[in-house]
Amino acid sequence: MRYEELLRMYESEDHYWWFVGRRRLIRALVEKYAPDARRILDVGCGTGGTLDALVGLGDLTGVDLSEDALGFCRSRGHRNLARGLAEALPFRDGSADVVLGCDLLEHMENDAVGLAELLRVARPGGTIIITVPAYRWLWSEHDEAISHLRRYSASDIRGMVEAIDARLVKLTYAVS
């Protein structure tokens, strides 16, 4: 993602309704589906807003390919950060109780490989939470500005989850 877009996100994510609502949703999902989580990995952590929202739920680690994004995370006080490619995460198999991929897959050339990688680093029985932009017909200039490669339908996600032999617990559309 371009630096200008990261800066815009960093400056607005604490108060803009979409970011605020999405973070509340993510926290509620972690609390509901992984109440005893100790290790939470935020893949594609961006500028750190989701990490902020999860403080107190476990040991948080953020990973992002962008050094600029990680710099914004550091300015928020996050120190447990790694630079890495989501398709080849620098973590052991089964090393996290919860793995987040929030608005991540749509940026990847091979999103199926990325989803499989999230599964690899989740412990057996762990929780993976992903969010993606919905509906191809909603494609706009904003998608291009933030480097999206695609949008998804529920059946797209269901197919990807089934292909990696993971158990789907909840699949829904949401507007935060």
Side-chain angles (χ1 to χ4, degrees), residues 10 14-16 32-33 43-44 49 53 61 72 85 103 110 119 125-126 161 175:
Y10 177 76
D14 289 337
H15 56 84
Y16 185 65
K32 179 176 182 174
Y33 293 105
V43 180
T61 300
F72 286 119
L85 189 63
D103 303 306
N110 192 334
L119 180 63
V161 170
V175 175

Side-chain angles (χ1 to χ4, degrees), residues 86-88 104-120 128 130 132 149-150 152 156-157 159-166:
E87 297 93 324
L104 171 73
L105 297 179
E106 66 273 13
H107 295 276
M108 303 168 78
E109 287 291 333
N110 192 334
D111 54 354
V113 169
L115 183 58
E117 186 67 355
L118 299 181
L119 180 63
R120 181 190 69 77
I128 298 171
I130 64 170
V132 294
L149 299 176
R150 69 191 66 77
Y152 297 84
D156 295 332
I157 298 300
M160 290 174 64
V161 170
E162 289 172 355
I164 62 171
D165 202 28

Side-chain angles (χ1 to χ4, degrees), residues 18-73:
W18 187 88
F19 291 114
V20 172
R22 191 190 66 153
R23 285 194 313 267
R24 286 181 185 154
L25 175 63
I26 297 303
R27 184 176 178 103
L29 291 170
V30 171
E31 290 173 336
K32 179 176 182 174
Y33 293 105
D36 299 324
R38 291 185 308 190
R39 296 163 298 168
I40 300 171
L41 177 62
D42 185 3
V43 180
C45 62
T47 61
T50 301
L51 289 170
D52 282 356
L54 299 176
V55 168
L57 295 185
D59 295 327
L60 303 172
T61 300
V63 61
D64 205 288
L65 182 59
S66 167
E67 189 57 48
D68 291 328
L70 295 174
F72 286 119
C73 289

Side-chain angles (χ1 to χ4, degrees), residues 89-151:
L89 292 166
F91 302 100
R92 296 182 330 271
D93 293 2
S95 59
D97 299 309
V98 175
V99 181
L100 303 176
C102 299
D103 303 306
L104 171 73
L105 297 179
E106 66 273 13
H107 295 276
M108 303 168 78
E109 287 291 333
N110 192 334
D111 54 354
V113 169
L115 183 58
E117 186 67 355
L118 299 181
L119 180 63
R120 181 190 69 77
V121 299
R123 70 166 171 75
T127 300
I128 298 171
I129 297 171
I130 64 170
T131 61
V132 294
Y135 299 125
R136 290 174 188 90
W137 55 268
L138 285 175
W139 187 268
S140 71
E141 291 176 3
H142 180 68
D143 290 286
E144 294 171 16
I146 57 176
S147 304
H148 286 177
L149 299 176
R150 69 191 66 77
R151 285 177 161 265

